[in-house]
Amino acid sequence: MDIARNPTSIPGNPELADAAVEPAAPETIRRLDYTPPAWLVPEIALDFDLGVELTKVRATLKVERNPDAAADQTLHLCGDNIAVMELLVDGKPAEGWSMSGSNLLLPLAGERHEVTVETHLHPATNSQLMGLYASNGMLCTQCEAEGFRRITFFPDRPDVLSRYTVRMSGPKAEFPILLSNGDCTASGEGENGTHWAEWTDPWPKPSYLFALVAGDLVARTDTFTTMNGRKVDLAVWVRPGDEDRTEHAMRSLINSMKWDEEAFGREYDLDTFNIVAVSDFNMGAMENKGLNIFNTRYILADPDTATDGDFDAVEGVVGHEYFHNWSGNRVTCRDWFQLSLKEGFTVLRDQMFSADMGSEPVKRIEDVRILRAAQFPEDSGPLAHPIRPDSYQEISNFYTATVYNKGAEVIRMMHTMAGPERFRAGSDLYFERHDGEAATCEDFVKAMEDGAGLDLSQFRLWYEQAGTPRVTVALKHDAAAGTVTLDVKQLVPPTPGQPVKKPMPIPLKIALFDRDTGSHDGERTLNITKAAESFTFGGFAKPPVLSANRGFSAPIQLESEATDADLQFLAAKDDDSFARYEALQQLFTRELLGAVEGGPDETRRAAIVEAMAAVIDDRAIDDMMRGELMMLPAINFLIELAAPADPVALHEARERLKAYLGTRLRDRLTALHDRASTIPYSLEADSRGARKVKTQALILLAAADVAETAKRAETQYRAADNMTDRQGALAVISGLDVPARGELLADFHARYAGNALVIDKWFAIQASALRSDVLDAVEALAGHEDFTMKNPNRVRALYMTMAGNPSAFHDAGGRGYRMIADLVLALDPINPQTAARFVPWLGRWRKIEPVRAELMRAELMRMAAVKSLSKDVREQVTKSLDTSA
Ligand code: TRP
Ligand code: ZN
């Protein structure tokens, strides 16, 4: 067992050591069991004596009884892997305290007391990256969701809000920069080359928003003046040498601050806003009050090292964390079941922000693609849960695409139903009503009802029921009456613990097109509320073409009886960009699923070629949209539709369709690539669009003519003055059997040696290659000197990419499954939170054909048999094997 996870290795803590011998059976926490805290902590003072090997923490808590809770004489303080070095109550040694597992129970007689506790931390051995840990010699914290209890004993639950004062001291040479939440209120020199700083955060906050950073950092600074004239000092802190790659992050921050004022009326509320980039980080970033901490991959960007997609991700995540200042920090969550209250809403806000900064229709297509690739499989599998879950064992496992992305879709539907002005009135009321509080999803829904004037009684089902509704639409034309009737049926599939479902309210945007004129008589939003219902529209002498779920107005799986001709019509004519994309995707999907069953359909393939040609020729759309329309559906989305799927057969069908398109459209694609290659690099939309279509053209051409395309891609690689072109070309070449392959991969590695984020790309490019020997490559890369299990970005670059590459993961003999299970077992003792994120890939066995499904299950059983599994991995493995659902 790893030292960082073994409480018995803590000196002087016999109670904790005894409790840790037999791991307790995982406890299930239930939403309906919520009770308010018996004690509140209005104030806390923290004093850190910093060191990478040993950090001493003294916490002084002002505690008082909660008048709104049942009387309890005992103060419950959470702890995790920490020991009590000293405990005082009102300045005197505490009496009668005890440990319950790793938590501290302290009986208190009075109404209010001052509790002081000292703990000793070992940041250098904290490989879980939760609590206080060391990364490249600097110290930083991650407290959400339950990391604060790894720093000190505290009621570590989001409904306990405290005012924080933080003092820290340490060697000045090692930690020249000392940061925490709020504003710096004092600082000075100490003895023996030490210095100290004091930070005060005037806003009461839950412990998960506490943060501290100490290290050798340099900043890009700027200022922002808020709408009411508050001048805010901004800083983006990075390791020396990285400062030239922070311009885009700073610009994104300033744009976010301005946007939140304009779009939501939200103003920043401190004199300081700090961002720190850290290379060892479990997730994307963290919204700690006034001190956001980021994974370097969502901060560092310049044209030479970051793709256009990376630039977008930086903008989106910087926005996301900034927007949490209101949706998350000023209004926080009562308990972790309410996580979507802050995450769903904040994802919607970052999506709206990115749409406003770039292209709204392209952003919508990208967001739906992510939802379908990540959330739909979750919602139809063994780990399905409502956006507001009812129970959990380990909360870290519920930072999911469902809570985040489906959560955003649910609030987006409110926006659709209310319209922008009324939605804004609803959000204004929500912020006003709950400012300074720990709120619930119900509070949000109620504020939307009151402020936006919506009746959301049935709509609350979106918070309660898991599963993606399947909606079938069928159009019937009555020539005599000149009417058309739309029959809509819905089915919400059973999910674990929810065998029977109620019909959902669904705002379904439709338009009815005239086949001859190519136009429609206006968009309608239908309010679907029943399992089956019909809508009749007059004024249709001829049968119209149905365009449904326009803009993806609801997170549903839509099935229609549209003919290929209808889809081809919509792919060419629909004035809703999403619907146009969707029509093409449906054509592709039909062809691919059909090809696996009975071979390609020549008529449909011809229609697809025609539709794709029209997309390439259409001068009315920009290249950003063109690139989007040219993408074939992902295998992981097709697996959902084909279940039980043969992923390799799907992959092969997809490759054949690419080859067919590449052959039939060769002249158009080369002309497109030639034209786009003349456009010089910039971050403007036309230049970004050119790079996008270039890579899409290469992908299709490569399937048709290996030698020619390899030359073209090599030329693009060598001529590239930016990462988008270079990575796009290399990704195409790495899938081909050409001599340039090894040469260019070596060139890329040499060129970027020492740049961790680009070396991650080098690993990922090889793990995503559509080649038969990719598992050999992954195995070899795991032994490469640049590989380490200690850095989550590196582990994900190699193994998450492989797991998402169907031709590798679903290798016929089960080798891909075995490699992922081996990884989980090896990573679990180091970093359980990151290890648990790989389990859902194996949990999808029910969607896969029986032979592979059995191999996947066998790996889950092998993991389940390991006694020392973390709570994180144990929960995911057990649920993935459960066949009761
Ligand atoms: N709240 C973070 C966000 O913005 C998520 C997060 C960051 C997180 N680090 C974490 C969640 C560690 C759990 C554990 O979405
Ligand atoms: Zn978030």
Side-chain angles (χ1 to χ4, degrees):
M1 203 185 198
D2 183 86
I3 198 160
R5 295 196 52 235
N6 185 358
T8 56
S9 68
I10 296 172
N13 183 26
E15 281 116 324
L16 208 51
D18 286 344
V21 171
E22 260 303 300
E27 187 195 350
T28 297
I29 320 285
R30 291 178 205 284
R31 179 166 62 87
L32 297 178
D33 289 348
Y34 173 83
T35 51
W39 291 85
L40 301 176
V41 189
E43 276 177 52
I44 173 170
L46 286 161
D47 194 343
F48 287 83
D49 177 1
L50 298 169
V52 166
E53 299 302 327
L54 172 66
T55 288
K56 298 182 180 174
V57 187
R58 264 184 105 76
T60 302
L61 288 59
K62 292 227 161 74
V63 303
E64 62 185 42
R65 271 173 208 286
N66 182 0
D68 297 334
D72 188 339
Q73 300 280 339
T74 307
L75 174 66
H76 292 247
L77 300 175
C78 311
D80 177 9
N81 207 37
I82 50 175
V84 175
M85 304 311 291
E86 190 177 5
L87 184 62
L88 306 175
V89 173
D90 302 321
K92 294 188 216 59
E95 281 166 24
W97 62 278
S98 62
M99 297 300 297
S100 162
S102 44
N103 300 332
L104 171 62
L105 305 183
L106 178 58
L108 291 173
E111 283 300 303
R112 44 178 61 75
H113 295 279
E114 191 183 89
V115 176
T116 300
V117 60
E118 181 165 324
T119 49
H120 289 183
L121 315 179
H122 308 279
T125 56
N126 181 354
S127 60
Q128 294 188 35
L129 315 182
M130 290 296 288
L132 180 74
Y133 64 93
S135 172
N136 291 321
M138 80 192 231
L139 291 175
C140 67
T141 55
Q142 171 56 42
C143 292
E144 187 177 6
E146 297 180 336
F148 192 69
R149 62 185 65 182
R150 293 166 57 82
I151 295 173
T152 191
F153 289 94
F154 195 78
D156 192 14
R157 42 186 289 172
D159 58 351
V160 173
L161 275 61
S162 320
R163 249 178 233 99
Y164 281 67
T165 310
V166 179
R167 188 186 192 279
M168 61 193 120
S169 62
K172 193 173 181 175
E174 200 178 346
F175 309 121
I177 303 299
L178 303 172
L179 307 171
S180 189
N181 314 91
D183 299 306
C184 184
T185 38
S187 64
E189 307 287 318
E191 286 167 14
N192 307 321
T194 65
H195 69 153
W196 60 272
E198 182 192 83
W199 289 75
T200 310
D201 180 359
W203 298 101
K205 64 169 174 288
S207 50
Y208 82 87
L209 290 173
F210 164 77
L212 172 153
V213 172
D216 183 10
L217 297 163
V218 292
R220 172 183 297 270
T221 59
D222 213 318
T223 60
F224 180 81
T225 305
T226 70
M227 57 191 189
N228 289 316
R230 182 199 281 267
K231 187 168 158 274
V232 185
D233 289 321
L234 312 176
V236 177
W237 297 92
V238 295
R239 291 169 71 197
D242 286 342
E243 56 272 34
D244 294 344
R245 291 191 281 154
T246 54
E247 188 187 335
H248 181 62
M250 180 60 88
R251 190 171 43 235
S252 300
L253 173 60
I254 292 170
N255 289 342
S256 306
M257 296 178 87
K258 187 102 205 99
W259 185 88
D260 213 13
E261 293 185 346
E262 287 165 2
F264 281 89
R266 300 296 111 199
E267 185 182 16
Y268 189 61
D269 53 7
L270 289 164
D271 298 332
T272 315
F273 190 85
N274 283 313
I275 286 179
V276 179
V278 178
S279 30
D280 302 286
F281 203 74
N282 280 344
M283 309 265 286
M286 182 62 214
E287 70 265 26
N288 317 298
K289 183 79 187 189
L291 177 55
N292 289 358
I293 300 182
F294 276 65
N295 189 320
T296 43
R297 69 176 295 189
Y298 297 112
I299 289 295
L300 303 180
D302 69 5
D304 184 47
T305 59
T307 63
D308 296 330
D310 296 330
F311 273 82
D312 286 345
V314 168
E315 178 179 81
V317 180
V318 167
H320 180 99
E321 305 313 328
Y322 175 73
F323 302 143
H324 268 315
N325 191 54
W326 275 93
S327 49
N329 301 3
R330 287 288 287 262
V331 183
T332 194
C333 299
R334 188 192 70 172
D335 56 74
W336 293 119
F337 296 104
Q338 319 299 327
L339 184 59
S340 201
L341 173 71
K342 74 178 177 78
E343 295 303 347
F345 189 26
T346 304
V347 170
L348 177 67
R349 277 151 56 70
D350 84 54
Q351 290 176 349
M352 292 167 74
F353 165 64
S354 295
D356 282 353
M357 294 297 114
S359 159
E360 184 185 329
V362 170
K363 177 66 178 156
R364 187 64 188 133
I365 293 172
E366 286 169 355
D367 290 338
V368 174
R369 209 194 353 261
I370 294 169
L371 188 81
R372 284 175 166 165
Q375 199 274 327
F376 277 23
E378 187 169 273
D379 223 356
S380 65
L383 300 169
H385 50 276
I387 64 167
R388 183 189 56 202
D390 292 316
S391 67
Y392 63 77
Q393 290 171 10
E394 170 52 61
I395 186 57
S396 294
N397 288 333
F398 285 79
Y399 287 75
T400 59
T402 297
V403 167
Y404 276 64
N405 303 63
K406 187 178 182 179
E409 293 296 325
V410 168
I411 302 177
R412 186 185 285 268
M413 285 191 282
M414 298 181 196
H415 186 275
T416 300
M417 293 185 295
E421 283 87 25
R422 281 164 56 201
F423 180 83
R424 171 66 191 273
S427 76
D428 283 352
L429 181 62
Y430 167 69
F431 287 125
E432 187 196 309
R433 205 182 254 179
H434 299 289
D435 188 10
E437 289 179 14
T440 61
C441 293
E442 173 56 27
D443 291 331
F444 183 86
V445 174
K446 191 77 182 71
M448 273 294 156
E449 282 191 316
D450 296 349
L454 292 169
D455 174 1
L456 298 171
S457 22
Q458 188 191 4
F459 193 85
R460 285 171 170 80
L461 282 173
W462 282 102
Y463 285 85
E464 292 163 21
Q465 295 194 150
T468 307
R470 278 207 291 273
V471 178
T472 317
V473 288
L475 206 55
K476 276 186 305 219
H477 183 239
D478 183 337
T483 59
V484 61
T485 298
L486 182 70
D487 292 329
V488 185
K489 292 200 181 94
Q490 62 160 306
L491 181 110
V492 189
T495 50
Q498 298 186 333
V500 184
K501 296 286 188 13
K502 293 179 191 148
M504 297 284 235
I506 295 169
L508 190 70
K509 279 196 181 170
I510 66 156
L512 297 163
F513 279 83
D514 184 308
R515 218 176 278 269
D516 300 329
T517 65
S519 59
H520 60 79
D521 63 340
E523 191 176 73
R524 301 172 166 86
T525 303
L526 307 180
N527 286 314
I528 316 291
T529 58
K530 303 194 186 81
E533 80 201 270
S534 297
F535 302 83
T536 299
F537 311 99
F540 290 94
K542 291 172 293 149
V545 181
L546 170 69
S547 163
N549 207 21
R550 293 159 67 79
F552 201 71
S553 61
I556 57 172
Q557 188 115 304
L558 189 75
E559 283 150 35
S560 83
E561 293 170 342
T563 63
D564 285 3
D566 291 345
L567 294 176
Q568 207 183 331
F569 171 93
L570 295 171
K573 301 265 165 62
D574 206 317
D575 56 333
D576 179 278
S577 310
F578 176 79
R580 192 172 175 183
Y581 161 83
E582 185 60 9
L584 261 167
Q585 292 291 302
Q586 279 191 45
L587 267 181
F588 290 138
T589 302
R590 276 185 194 180
E591 173 54 24
L592 293 168
L593 297 181
V596 169
E597 294 293 312
D601 176 329
E602 289 311 326
T603 317
R604 186 177 287 136
R605 288 221 278 190
I608 290 176
V609 167
E610 235 180 84
M612 188 74 105
V615 163
I616 297 173
D617 293 346
D618 191 343
R619 287 164 179 276
I621 51 175
D622 59 28
D623 280 341
M624 289 288 280
M625 180 58 73
R626 197 182 328 280
E628 216 59 57
L629 296 175
M630 288 171 70
M631 285 180 208
L632 269 55
I635 300 288
N636 287 325
F637 174 62
L638 295 171
I639 287 174
E640 283 298 293
L641 304 174
D646 179 339
V648 172
L650 277 171
H651 164 70
E652 282 164 1
R654 191 171 180 274
E655 288 306 293
R656 279 198 301 275
L657 181 58
K658 275 160 66 179
Y660 183 84
L661 288 169
T663 311
R664 297 300 157 106
L665 296 168
R666 179 181 316 215
D667 293 346
R668 271 193 177 79
L669 291 167
T670 51
L672 177 64
H673 190 270
D674 288 342
R675 178 199 31 100
S677 300
T678 64
I679 297 176
Y681 181 87
S682 84
L683 283 170
E684 298 306 311
D686 60 335
S687 177
R688 299 173 49 129
R691 293 190 286 281
K692 191 160 161 186
V693 295
K694 256 193 278 183
T695 298
Q696 289 309 313
L698 284 182
I699 287 172
L700 294 177
L701 286 168
D705 187 337
V706 171
E708 257 317 295
T709 312
K711 265 194 260 164
R712 195 170 267 276
E714 182 170 353
T715 307
Q716 175 173 320
Y717 178 92
R718 298 210 186 270
D721 60 357
N722 65 84
M723 181 54 82
T724 306
D725 283 345
R726 195 171 284 129
Q727 179 184 288
L730 187 59
V732 168
I733 288 180
S734 80
L736 305 176
D737 276 312
V738 291
R741 181 177 187 271
E743 201 184 309
L744 295 188
L745 280 168
D747 175 82
F748 190 87
H749 186 272
R751 183 191 284 260
Y752 293 108
N755 183 323
L757 293 177
V758 187
I759 298 302
D760 288 340
K761 293 181 188 298
W762 183 78
F763 277 90
I765 286 168
Q766 296 177 75
S768 65
L770 303 175
R771 303 166 56 84
S772 54
D773 61 357
V774 59
L775 291 179
D776 294 331
V778 171
E779 213 162 78
L781 287 167
H784 192 279
E785 59 172 351
D786 289 345
F787 187 76
T788 166
M789 294 281 263
K790 294 274 164 70
N791 179 265
N793 286 359
R794 192 57 50 84
V795 172
R796 286 186 285 250
L798 185 58
Y799 287 102
M800 204 53 99
T801 310
M802 185 273 268
N805 177 352
S807 49
F809 182 61
H810 294 290
D811 181 78
R815 186 173 165 211
Y817 310 145
R818 201 153 55 240
M819 282 168 73
I820 293 300
D822 284 342
L823 167 77
V824 170
L825 294 177
L827 187 58
D828 195 29
I830 300 169
N831 186 333
Q833 196 179 316
T834 297
R837 303 228 147 220
F838 289 85
V839 179
W841 289 105
L842 289 163
R844 289 179 196 168
W845 59 271
R846 284 174 191 76
K847 300 288 171 53
I848 307 297
E849 53 82 16
V851 177
R852 286 188 178 83
E854 199 40 48
L855 294 168
M856 296 168 87
R857 248 168 63 82
E859 292 305 327
L860 287 165
M861 311 232 284
R862 178 161 71 92
M863 289 192 277
V866 174
K867 288 220 168 47
S868 58
L869 286 188
S870 66
K871 187 160 66 140
D872 308 55
V873 169
R874 172 77 60 204
E875 177 175 33
Q876 300 302 69
V877 167
T878 310
K879 288 183 174 172
S880 295
L881 278 167
D882 188 1
T883 44
S884 64

